């Protein structure tokens, strides 16, 4: 389940985060503001694609989900992937806009809430679905607060359609090879985690 989140995050880093952190500072004034607003909408599109991917997995036959022991991961798991990449985008925007105190606040909410939720699940009788729920809520709350803090990303937009098209082209030029590298690195590196969990069990892997 967590590797699914990490896979979405690795694609997100290549497609959205790395281009934004490289292309954004090169612009100034209104051009920079327009680009960041466009990157925000690209981010929303990516979050939507992640949600559709999770929805597609949720439509797997019940017999298959039960045999894989993943039936209890839904409906929280797709929302967790969406909340995780949304929070990551906003914390990175806090750094690139020279407001690291906001990044710290968002991380305290996300990871502090995650830690509190996991501890509560442990005390009350831990279930994987409970853990996913608590982590999803903490990251979703952090992302919602980030959207409120960075209102310049979605307020006062002018000719956003043109800006999105230009940003999409720039991101594709920047990250087309990075996406392939991210997929290759993810499966070549994380395959050993899956193998270790299969051979040694989830407790040893954890």
């Amino acid at each position: 389940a967590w590797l699914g989140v990490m896979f979405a995050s690795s694609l997100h880093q290549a497609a959205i985060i790395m281009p934004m952190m490289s292309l954004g500072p090169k612009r100034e004034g209104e051009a920079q503001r327009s680009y960041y607003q466009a990157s925000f909408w690209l981010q929303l599109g990516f979050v939507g694609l992640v949600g559709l991917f999770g929805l597609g997995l949720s439509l797997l036959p019940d017999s298959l989900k039960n045999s894989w022991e993943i039936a209890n991961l839904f409906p929280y798991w797709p929302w967790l992937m969406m909340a995780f990449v949304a929070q990551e985008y906003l914390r990175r925007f806090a750094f690139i806009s020279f407001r690291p105190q906001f990044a710290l606040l968002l991380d305290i909410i996300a990871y502090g809430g995650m830690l509190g939720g996991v501890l509560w699940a442990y005390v009350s009788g831990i279930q994987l679905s409970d853990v996913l729920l608590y982590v999803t809520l903490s990251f979703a709350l952090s992302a919602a607060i980030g959207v409120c803090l960075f209102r310049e990303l979605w307020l006062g937009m002018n000719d956003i359609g043109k800006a999105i098209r230009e940003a999409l082209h720039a991101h594709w030029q920047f990250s087309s090879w990075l996406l392939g590298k991210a997929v290759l690195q993810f499966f070549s590196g994380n395959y050993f985690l899956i193998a270790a969990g299969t051979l040694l069990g989830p407790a040893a892997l954890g």
Side-chain angles (χ1 to χ4, degrees):
W2 192 251
L3 284 177
V5 177
M6 291 296 97
F7 181 60
S9 178
S10 65
L11 296 180
H12 180 244
Q13 290 281 340
I16 304 295
I17 297 296
M18 294 177 68
M20 180 188 72
M21 299 194 75
S22 179
L23 299 174
K26 296 178 181 179
R27 294 166 166 79
E28 296 181 354
E30 184 59 31
Q32 185 181 72
R33 180 173 178 270
S34 177
Y35 168 75
Y36 284 142
Q37 289 180 340
S39 75
F40 177 73
W41 285 97
L42 293 181
Q43 165 70 20
L44 291 180
F46 187 91
V47 170
L49 290 176
V50 168
L52 290 175
F53 171 74
L55 178 62
L57 291 180
S58 70
L59 298 177
L60 290 172
D62 291 338
S63 58
L64 187 60
K65 288 189 287 187
N66 290 329
S67 66
W68 290 354
E69 300 183 8
I70 61 172
N72 63 336
L73 303 185
F74 300 98
Y76 308 132
W77 185 53
W79 290 102
L80 171 57
M81 291 192 292
M82 295 169 67
F84 188 89
V85 297
Q87 194 270 348
E88 178 66 15
Y89 170 84
L90 292 163
R91 70 182 295 273
R92 292 301 184 100
F93 181 75
F95 284 118
I96 206 171
S97 61
F98 302 101
R99 287 172 284 186
Q101 70 277 13
F102 287 169
L104 178 61
L105 173 64
L106 297 181
D107 279 352
I108 289 174
I109 295 170
Y111 293 96
M114 178 176 68
L115 177 60
V118 170
L119 292 176
W120 175 254
Y122 175 76
V123 171
S124 61
I126 193 167
Q127 296 290 332
L128 179 56
S129 57
D130 295 333
V131 173
L132 292 184
L133 172 61
Y134 298 139
V135 177
T136 300
L137 291 176
S138 63
F139 275 85
L141 176 61
S142 177
I145 292 176
V147 170
C148 295
L149 290 174
F150 304 125
R151 286 175 291 182
E152 69 269 21
L153 289 173
W154 48 275
L155 287 179
M157 295 178 293
N158 295 316
D159 200 8
I160 192 62
K162 178 182 177 181
I164 291 175
R165 290 192 298 270
E166 292 177 351
L168 183 61
H169 178 74
H171 278 229
W172 177 250
Q173 291 292 324
F174 187 97
S175 63
S176 55
W177 286 99
L178 291 177
L179 284 168
K181 179 182 75 71
V183 173
L184 179 63
Q185 286 186 337
F186 179 85
F187 285 104
S188 62
N190 290 287
Y191 173 79
F192 297 103
L193 293 178
I194 299 175
T198 303
L199 296 174
L200 304 177
L205 179 60

